[in-house]
Amino acid sequence: MEMPFTTDIVKYGIIGVGMMGREHMCNLAAIEGVDVVAVADPYVPSQQAALALAIKHQGVSTPSLKVFSDHKALLDAGICDVLIVSTPNMTHVHILLDILDHPKPHNVLVEKPLCTTVEDCYKVLEAAKARPDVLVQVGLEYRYIPAIAKLVETVKGGHLGRVRMIAIREHRFPFLVKVNNWNRFNINSGGTLVEKCCHFFDLMNLIAGANPVRVMASGAQDVNHLEENYDCKVPDIIDNAYVILEYDNGIRSLLDLCMFAEGGQNEQEICVVGDIGKGEAFVPENIVRIGTRRGGRSGVQTFNVQDGRIKYEGLHHGSSYLEHLEFLSALRTQGDRPPAAGLHEGLLSVATGVAAQRSIELGRFVTLAEVQHHHHHT
C-alpha cells in the first residue's frame, strides 16, 4: 500500500535533457513537493550530465533517477505524473502524439515551439481533444519574466487606454550550440521566427487580446553561422528581421530582431502604446516605465520589478521557475483553470512565425488564413 505522504509529491519525467531539459531539472530542484524521478534521452553525454545534476541536487552518490534512452520506455514505466518535453523542435510532434496516445494520462509541459509546422500543431490539438484527462502547457515562459508580467498587468488594467501599437525589440547573441547542431537548420527548428520569435508573437497576442490577421516581414542571414559547415551543409537560419503584424481589432505590432547585437544594455525591450499612455519593459534590467499623455515626460514612473517567489534565476530571469509554479497550480486545480499558455496559444505563436518566414520568402504580406487554410474544419 502506498504511504500517504508520497501522494502529494508530483513526480516528473523529463524527455530530452540537453541544455533546456537540465535547466528544468534545476528549476524543479528549487520547488517544494516535486521530484524528478526519470529522464529519457538517446544522447549519452546528456544522460550523464543529467545524472551528475541529480547527484548534486539529491546530495547522494547514487541518485534515485531512472534513465531511459527512449521516451516510450519512460512512458511505459508508468512512474511519472508529469512530463516535460524539451527535445529538439522537430521531434516534439511524434513525442507528444505518443504521450497523448498512451493509456496512462501524463500532464505535459512542452517546450516552445509547440511544433515546427502548423500542420503538426493541428495533429497535436486533435489528439489532445480525445484526452480531456491530460493538461498540456506550452513553455512560453517570457510571459513570466517579472518586468514583462508587470507591463502586461498594466495594459490589462486599462492604464494605457485602448492599445494601438506594440513594439518588441530583441537584440541578442547568436544561437547557442546544441546537441548535433540541430538548431542550425530551418528544417529542424522551424526557422528563427518560429524557434525564437514564437515567444514574442505570443506576447504580442497576449497584449493585443486579439488574433493576428496578416504579417509582413523582411529578414536575412547576414552575419551568423556563415562559416559553419555540418556534413557539407551551411546553416540557413536568419539572424535579423523586422516583422509587422496586423490584428483583427486594428492593433499593429512590430518585432525588431537582431542576433548579432551583444553590445547592448538590454536583450528585450517591449513598448506598448495606447490612446492615453505608454508602457515599456526592459530585460534584463527589470525596469518598467509607465507614462500618460497628460502627465508627459515629467510624469513617467519607473519601477524596478522583482518577484519574491523566484528561488532560481536560471537562464531566463526566473521566468522558468514561475512557469513551473503556474503549471503546478493549474494541475492542482484539476484543470478548472486552463494553463495560461495552452495548445491554442502554442499553435498561434507558431502560425505567426510560419507566416513571417513565408512573407520573407515571398516578399509580400501573408495572411494567417493562408498558413492555416488546411484546417478550417478544426
Side-chain angles (χ1 to χ4, degrees):
M1 188 179 130
E2 210 176 1
M3 297 296 284
F5 66 82
T6 58
T7 52
D8 290 333
I9 299 276
V10 183
K11 298 189 175 102
Y12 280 70
I14 302 184
I15 300 172
V17 281
M19 178 182 284
M20 204 55 215
R22 298 198 298 274
E23 170 76 356
H24 283 301
M25 285 181 78
C26 294
N27 277 284
L28 290 165
I31 295 175
E32 298 287 307
V34 305
D35 190 13
V36 177
V37 296
V39 298
D41 198 309
Y43 187 63
V44 174
S46 292
Q47 292 179 8
Q48 290 167 338
L51 271 171
L53 263 187
I55 289 169
K56 185 178 148 192
H57 293 153
Q58 294 177 13
V60 292
S61 55
T62 50
S64 55
L65 184 73
K66 296 248 188 315
V67 179
F68 299 93
S69 53
D70 153 329
H71 68 278
K72 288 183 175 166
L74 185 154
L75 283 172
D76 290 340
I79 54 177
C80 303
D81 308 310
V82 177
L83 299 174
I84 293 175
V85 178
S86 40
T87 54
N89 301 356
M90 67 285 185
T91 64
H92 289 183
V93 62
H94 71 260
I95 292 172
L96 287 169
L97 293 175
D98 286 344
I99 294 170
L100 291 167
D101 190 41
H102 200 270
K104 177 177 159 67
H106 296 86
N107 294 306
V108 188
L109 173 62
V110 57
E111 261 310 324
K112 58 82 213 163
L114 172 56
C115 298
T116 56
T117 68
V118 175
E119 198 178 348
D120 285 350
C121 289
Y122 274 107
K123 283 181 195 163
V124 173
L125 261 74
E126 280 301 305
K129 279 182 188 167
R131 294 304 294 263
D133 52 342
V134 170
L135 193 69
V136 184
Q137 178 165 315
V138 181
L140 293 161
E141 80 279 351
Y142 282 40
R143 290 170 167 239
Y144 304 110
I145 293 175
I148 296 176
K150 168 138 182 98
L151 178 61
V152 171
E153 193 185 303
T154 303
V155 172
K156 298 295 179 193
H159 301 291
L160 309 182
R162 213 164 55 102
V163 171
R164 297 288 82 201
M165 299 179 85
I166 303 165
I168 300 183
R169 168 184 286 167
E170 179 168 71
H171 281 194
R172 57 162 276 170
F173 48 90
F175 281 120
L176 300 170
V177 174
K178 299 284 175 97
V179 174
N180 294 332
N181 302 294
W182 67 263
N183 64 340
R184 293 299 192 253
F185 297 96
N186 289 318
I187 188 78
N188 295 335
S189 73
T192 303
L193 297 180
V194 171
E195 146 66 18
K196 176 75 216 118
C197 301
C198 60
H199 275 309
F200 303 116
F201 299 137
D202 177 60
L203 289 175
M204 289 170 179
N205 296 342
L206 175 66
I207 292 166
N211 289 308
V213 179
R214 61 178 196 157
V215 181
M216 178 74 207
S218 171
Q221 180 184 11
D222 289 329
V223 176
N224 295 347
H225 318 303
L226 296 170
E227 308 299 311
E228 298 173 18
N229 190 309
Y230 306 101
D231 299 328
C232 303
K233 289 196 287 256
V234 175
D236 59 2
I237 47 172
I238 67 171
D239 57 21
N240 71 96
Y242 291 117
V243 183
I244 296 169
L245 272 61
E246 293 176 351
Y247 282 85
D248 59 10
N249 62 356
I251 288 177
R252 255 178 287 281
S253 70
L254 168 74
L255 174 70
D256 161 2
L257 173 76
C258 180
M259 300 199 59
F260 44 89
E262 296 94 321
Q265 183 73 37
N266 284 296
E267 233 174 82
Q268 288 93 24
E269 299 174 30
I270 301 180
C271 173
V272 183
V273 187
D275 56 359
I276 62 172
K278 170 176 166 172
E280 294 175 282
F282 301 92
V283 179
E285 276 183 314
N286 279 325
I287 285 173
V288 171
R289 292 203 177 96
I290 310 287
T292 59
R293 296 171 70 188
R294 180 175 289 174
R297 187 173 297 154
S298 59
V300 173
Q301 291 180 283
T302 300
F303 303 91
N304 199 316
V305 188
Q306 306 297 333
D307 190 316
R309 295 174 299 167
I310 297 171
K311 293 198 179 121
Y312 178 76
E313 284 278 334
L315 301 174
H316 301 96
H317 320 295
S319 62
S320 296
Y321 184 86
L322 296 175
E323 168 184 54
H324 279 292
L325 294 187
E326 179 74 27
F327 185 46
L328 271 168
S329 91
L331 295 179
R332 289 186 170 134
T333 55
Q334 260 82 45
D336 293 344
R337 213 166 47 92
L343 288 171
H344 177 70
E345 289 77 11
L347 160 73
L348 205 53
S349 63
V350 168
T352 311
V354 167
Q357 305 255 137
R358 193 170 293 178
S359 173
I360 291 174
E361 285 160 32
L362 302 175
R364 64 164 173 84
F365 265 107
V366 171
T367 64
L368 267 286
E370 275 178 73
V371 298
Q372 293 176 292
H373 68 280
H374 296 306
H375 310 281
H376 278 313
H377 62 280
T378 57

PDB file of all heavy atoms in Angstrom, residues 185-203:
ATOM      1  N   PHE A 185      19.500  24.580 -38.605  1.00  0.00           N
ATOM      2  CA  PHE A 185      18.785  24.403 -39.870  1.00  0.00           C
ATOM      3  C   PHE A 185      17.276  24.585 -39.707  1.00  0.00           C
ATOM      4  O   PHE A 185      16.665  24.055 -38.778  1.00  0.00           O
ATOM      5  CB  PHE A 185      19.093  23.015 -40.452  1.00  0.00           C
ATOM      6  CG  PHE A 185      20.558  22.847 -40.777  1.00  0.00           C
ATOM      7  CD1 PHE A 185      21.419  22.236 -39.868  1.00  0.00           C
ATOM      8  CD2 PHE A 185      21.079  23.357 -41.951  1.00  0.00           C
ATOM      9  CE1 PHE A 185      22.783  22.118 -40.148  1.00  0.00           C
ATOM     10  CE2 PHE A 185      22.442  23.245 -42.233  1.00  0.00           C
ATOM     11  CZ  PHE A 185      23.294  22.636 -41.335  1.00  0.00           C
ATOM     12  N   ASN A 186      16.680  25.316 -40.659  1.00  0.00           N
ATOM     13  CA  ASN A 186      15.235  25.578 -40.628  1.00  0.00           C
ATOM     14  C   ASN A 186      14.414  24.300 -40.550  1.00  0.00           C
ATOM     15  O   ASN A 186      13.386  24.260 -39.866  1.00  0.00           O
ATOM     16  CB  ASN A 186      14.815  26.333 -41.903  1.00  0.00           C
ATOM     17  CG  ASN A 186      15.316  27.760 -41.902  1.00  0.00           C
ATOM     18  OD1 ASN A 186      15.261  28.436 -40.885  1.00  0.00           O
ATOM     19  ND2 ASN A 186      15.808  28.227 -43.037  1.00  0.00           N
ATOM     20  N   ILE A 187      14.859  23.267 -41.250  1.00  0.00           N
ATOM     21  CA  ILE A 187      14.090  22.020 -41.312  1.00  0.00           C
ATOM     22  C   ILE A 187      13.913  21.427 -39.905  1.00  0.00           C
ATOM     23  O   ILE A 187      12.897  20.814 -39.600  1.00  0.00           O
ATOM     24  CB  ILE A 187      14.751  20.999 -42.284  1.00  0.00           C
ATOM     25  CG1 ILE A 187      13.854  19.790 -42.508  1.00  0.00           C
ATOM     26  CG2 ILE A 187      16.128  20.561 -41.815  1.00  0.00           C
ATOM     27  CD1 ILE A 187      12.729  20.038 -43.464  1.00  0.00           C
ATOM     28  N   ASN A 188      14.894  21.649 -39.038  1.00  0.00           N
ATOM     29  CA  ASN A 188      14.833  21.109 -37.674  1.00  0.00           C
ATOM     30  C   ASN A 188      14.135  22.049 -36.702  1.00  0.00           C
ATOM     31  O   ASN A 188      13.432  21.609 -35.794  1.00  0.00           O
ATOM     32  CB  ASN A 188      16.247  20.858 -37.136  1.00  0.00           C
ATOM     33  CG  ASN A 188      16.976  19.790 -37.916  1.00  0.00           C
ATOM     34  OD1 ASN A 188      16.349  18.936 -38.528  1.00  0.00           O
ATOM     35  ND2 ASN A 188      18.291  19.845 -37.900  1.00  0.00           N
ATOM     36  N   SER A 189      14.399  23.347 -36.857  1.00  0.00           N
ATOM     37  CA  SER A 189      13.949  24.289 -35.819  1.00  0.00           C
ATOM     38  C   SER A 189      12.624  24.946 -36.165  1.00  0.00           C
ATOM     39  O   SER A 189      11.950  25.503 -35.306  1.00  0.00           O
ATOM     40  CB  SER A 189      15.002  25.387 -35.608  1.00  0.00           C
ATOM     41  OG  SER A 189      15.001  26.293 -36.692  1.00  0.00           O
ATOM     42  N   GLY A 190      12.245  24.893 -37.468  1.00  0.00           N
ATOM     43  CA  GLY A 190      11.068  25.634 -37.919  1.00  0.00           C
ATOM     44  C   GLY A 190      11.474  26.998 -38.451  1.00  0.00           C
ATOM     45  O   GLY A 190      10.669  27.725 -39.004  1.00  0.00           O
ATOM     46  N   GLY A 191      12.756  27.340 -38.248  1.00  0.00           N
ATOM     47  CA  GLY A 191      13.238  28.665 -38.663  1.00  0.00           C
ATOM     48  C   GLY A 191      13.278  29.616 -37.481  1.00  0.00           C
ATOM     49  O   GLY A 191      12.540  29.451 -36.511  1.00  0.00           O
ATOM     50  N   THR A 192      14.128  30.616 -37.576  1.00  0.00           N
ATOM     51  CA  THR A 192      14.346  31.542 -36.454  1.00  0.00           C
ATOM     52  C   THR A 192      13.048  32.183 -35.966  1.00  0.00           C
ATOM     53  O   THR A 192      12.835  32.346 -34.766  1.00  0.00           O
ATOM     54  CB  THR A 192      15.333  32.653 -36.882  1.00  0.00           C
ATOM     55  OG1 THR A 192      16.545  32.030 -37.326  1.00  0.00           O
ATOM     56  CG2 THR A 192      15.637  33.600 -35.736  1.00  0.00           C
ATOM     57  N   LEU A 193      12.159  32.556 -36.891  1.00  0.00           N
ATOM     58  CA  LEU A 193      10.957  33.288 -36.488  1.00  0.00           C
ATOM     59  C   LEU A 193       9.942  32.371 -35.806  1.00  0.00           C
ATOM     60  O   LEU A 193       9.030  32.842 -35.129  1.00  0.00           O
ATOM     61  CB  LEU A 193      10.338  34.021 -37.677  1.00  0.00           C
ATOM     62  CG  LEU A 193      11.244  35.103 -38.290  1.00  0.00           C
ATOM     63  CD1 LEU A 193      10.562  35.784 -39.463  1.00  0.00           C
ATOM     64  CD2 LEU A 193      11.673  36.144 -37.255  1.00  0.00           C
ATOM     65  N   VAL A 194      10.130  31.050 -35.969  1.00  0.00           N
ATOM     66  CA  VAL A 194       9.311  30.090 -35.209  1.00  0.00           C
ATOM     67  C   VAL A 194      10.045  29.715 -33.924  1.00  0.00           C
ATOM     68  O   VAL A 194       9.520  29.848 -32.817  1.00  0.00           O
ATOM     69  CB  VAL A 194       9.020  28.820 -36.056  1.00  0.00           C
ATOM     70  CG1 VAL A 194       8.373  27.730 -35.199  1.00  0.00           C
ATOM     71  CG2 VAL A 194       8.112  29.180 -37.226  1.00  0.00           C
ATOM     72  N   GLU A 195      11.289  29.274 -34.057  1.00  0.00           N
ATOM     73  CA  GLU A 195      12.077  28.765 -32.920  1.00  0.00           C
ATOM     74  C   GLU A 195      12.252  29.810 -31.831  1.00  0.00           C
ATOM     75  O   GLU A 195      12.038  29.572 -30.659  1.00  0.00           O
ATOM     76  CB  GLU A 195      13.433  28.282 -33.465  1.00  0.00           C
ATOM     77  CG  GLU A 195      14.644  28.469 -32.579  1.00  0.00           C
ATOM     78  CD  GLU A 195      14.625  27.663 -31.308  1.00  0.00           C
ATOM     79  OE1 GLU A 195      13.865  26.687 -31.212  1.00  0.00           O
ATOM     80  OE2 GLU A 195      15.351  28.025 -30.383  1.00  0.00           O
ATOM     81  N   LYS A 196      12.638  31.016 -32.250  1.00  0.00           N
ATOM     82  CA  LYS A 196      12.998  32.040 -31.278  1.00  0.00           C
ATOM     83  C   LYS A 196      11.830  32.975 -31.022  1.00  0.00           C
ATOM     84  O   LYS A 196      11.539  33.354 -29.901  1.00  0.00           O
ATOM     85  CB  LYS A 196      14.191  32.828 -31.865  1.00  0.00           C
ATOM     86  CG  LYS A 196      14.652  33.990 -31.051  1.00  0.00           C
ATOM     87  CD  LYS A 196      15.426  33.528 -29.842  1.00  0.00           C
ATOM     88  CE  LYS A 196      15.151  34.415 -28.673  1.00  0.00           C
ATOM     89  NZ  LYS A 196      14.546  33.814 -27.544  1.00  0.00           N
ATOM     90  N   CYS A 197      11.170  33.368 -32.121  1.00  0.00           N
ATOM     91  CA  CYS A 197      10.249  34.505 -32.019  1.00  0.00           C
ATOM     92  C   CYS A 197       8.832  34.125 -31.658  1.00  0.00           C
ATOM     93  O   CYS A 197       8.001  35.001 -31.432  1.00  0.00           O
ATOM     94  CB  CYS A 197      10.299  35.312 -33.299  1.00  0.00           C
ATOM     95  SG  CYS A 197      11.977  35.911 -33.586  1.00  0.00           S
ATOM     96  N   CYS A 198       8.539  32.809 -31.563  1.00  0.00           N
ATOM     97  CA  CYS A 198       7.209  32.422 -31.086  1.00  0.00           C
ATOM     98  C   CYS A 198       6.955  33.047 -29.713  1.00  0.00           C
ATOM     99  O   CYS A 198       5.828  33.407 -29.384  1.00  0.00           O
ATOM    100  CB  CYS A 198       7.060  30.907 -31.044  1.00  0.00           C
ATOM    101  SG  CYS A 198       8.224  30.074 -29.968  1.00  0.00           S
ATOM    102  N   HIS A 199       8.035  33.235 -28.922  1.00  0.00           N
ATOM    103  CA  HIS A 199       7.900  33.920 -27.628  1.00  0.00           C
ATOM    104  C   HIS A 199       7.276  35.302 -27.789  1.00  0.00           C
ATOM    105  O   HIS A 199       6.399  35.702 -27.039  1.00  0.00           O
ATOM    106  CB  HIS A 199       9.282  34.152 -27.007  1.00  0.00           C
ATOM    107  CG  HIS A 199       9.805  33.004 -26.227  1.00  0.00           C
ATOM    108  ND1 HIS A 199       9.088  32.366 -25.231  1.00  0.00           N
ATOM    109  CD2 HIS A 199      10.998  32.372 -26.280  1.00  0.00           C
ATOM    110  CE1 HIS A 199       9.820  31.394 -24.715  1.00  0.00           C
ATOM    111  NE2 HIS A 199      10.979  31.373 -25.331  1.00  0.00           N
ATOM    112  N   PHE A 200       7.794  36.038 -28.756  1.00  0.00           N
ATOM    113  CA  PHE A 200       7.381  37.437 -28.905  1.00  0.00           C
ATOM    114  C   PHE A 200       6.027  37.543 -29.574  1.00  0.00           C
ATOM    115  O   PHE A 200       5.242  38.416 -29.237  1.00  0.00           O
ATOM    116  CB  PHE A 200       8.465  38.221 -29.657  1.00  0.00           C
ATOM    117  CG  PHE A 200       9.775  38.102 -28.946  1.00  0.00           C
ATOM    118  CD1 PHE A 200      10.858  37.485 -29.534  1.00  0.00           C
ATOM    119  CD2 PHE A 200       9.892  38.530 -27.624  1.00  0.00           C
ATOM    120  CE1 PHE A 200      12.046  37.319 -28.838  1.00  0.00           C
ATOM    121  CE2 PHE A 200      11.081  38.363 -26.927  1.00  0.00           C
ATOM    122  CZ  PHE A 200      12.154  37.758 -27.537  1.00  0.00           C
ATOM    123  N   PHE A 201       5.747  36.632 -30.519  1.00  0.00           N
ATOM    124  CA  PHE A 201       4.414  36.630 -31.120  1.00  0.00           C
ATOM    125  C   PHE A 201       3.374  36.270 -30.054  1.00  0.00           C
ATOM    126  O   PHE A 201       2.280  36.818 -30.023  1.00  0.00           O
ATOM    127  CB  PHE A 201       4.367  35.684 -32.324  1.00  0.00           C
ATOM    128  CG  PHE A 201       5.319  36.085 -33.423  1.00  0.00           C
ATOM    129  CD1 PHE A 201       6.095  35.148 -34.090  1.00  0.00           C
ATOM    130  CD2 PHE A 201       5.470  37.430 -33.775  1.00  0.00           C
ATOM    131  CE1 PHE A 201       6.985  35.524 -35.091  1.00  0.00           C
ATOM    132  CE2 PHE A 201       6.363  37.818 -34.780  1.00  0.00           C
ATOM    133  CZ  PHE A 201       7.111  36.866 -35.429  1.00  0.00           C
ATOM    134  N   ASP A 202       3.743  35.360 -29.158  1.00  0.00           N
ATOM    135  CA  ASP A 202       2.842  35.022 -28.055  1.00  0.00           C
ATOM    136  C   ASP A 202       2.579  36.235 -27.162  1.00  0.00           C
ATOM    137  O   ASP A 202       1.440  36.503 -26.774  1.00  0.00           O
ATOM    138  CB  ASP A 202       3.432  33.872 -27.221  1.00  0.00           C
ATOM    139  CG  ASP A 202       2.564  33.541 -26.016  1.00  0.00           C
ATOM    140  OD1 ASP A 202       1.382  33.187 -26.223  1.00  0.00           O
ATOM    141  OD2 ASP A 202       3.049  33.664 -24.880  1.00  0.00           O
ATOM    142  N   LEU A 203       3.631  36.983 -26.847  1.00  0.00           N
ATOM    143  CA  LEU A 203       3.458  38.188 -26.015  1.00  0.00           C
ATOM    144  C   LEU A 203       2.595  39.221 -26.722  1.00  0.00           C
ATOM    145  O   LEU A 203       1.721  39.847 -26.111  1.00  0.00           O
ATOM    146  CB  LEU A 203       4.811  38.816 -25.660  1.00  0.00           C
ATOM    147  CG  LEU A 203       5.668  38.045 -24.664  1.00  0.00           C
ATOM    148  CD1 LEU A 203       7.026  38.731 -24.503  1.00  0.00           C
ATOM    149  CD2 LEU A 203       4.976  37.927 -23.309  1.00  0.00           C
TER     150      LEU A 203
END
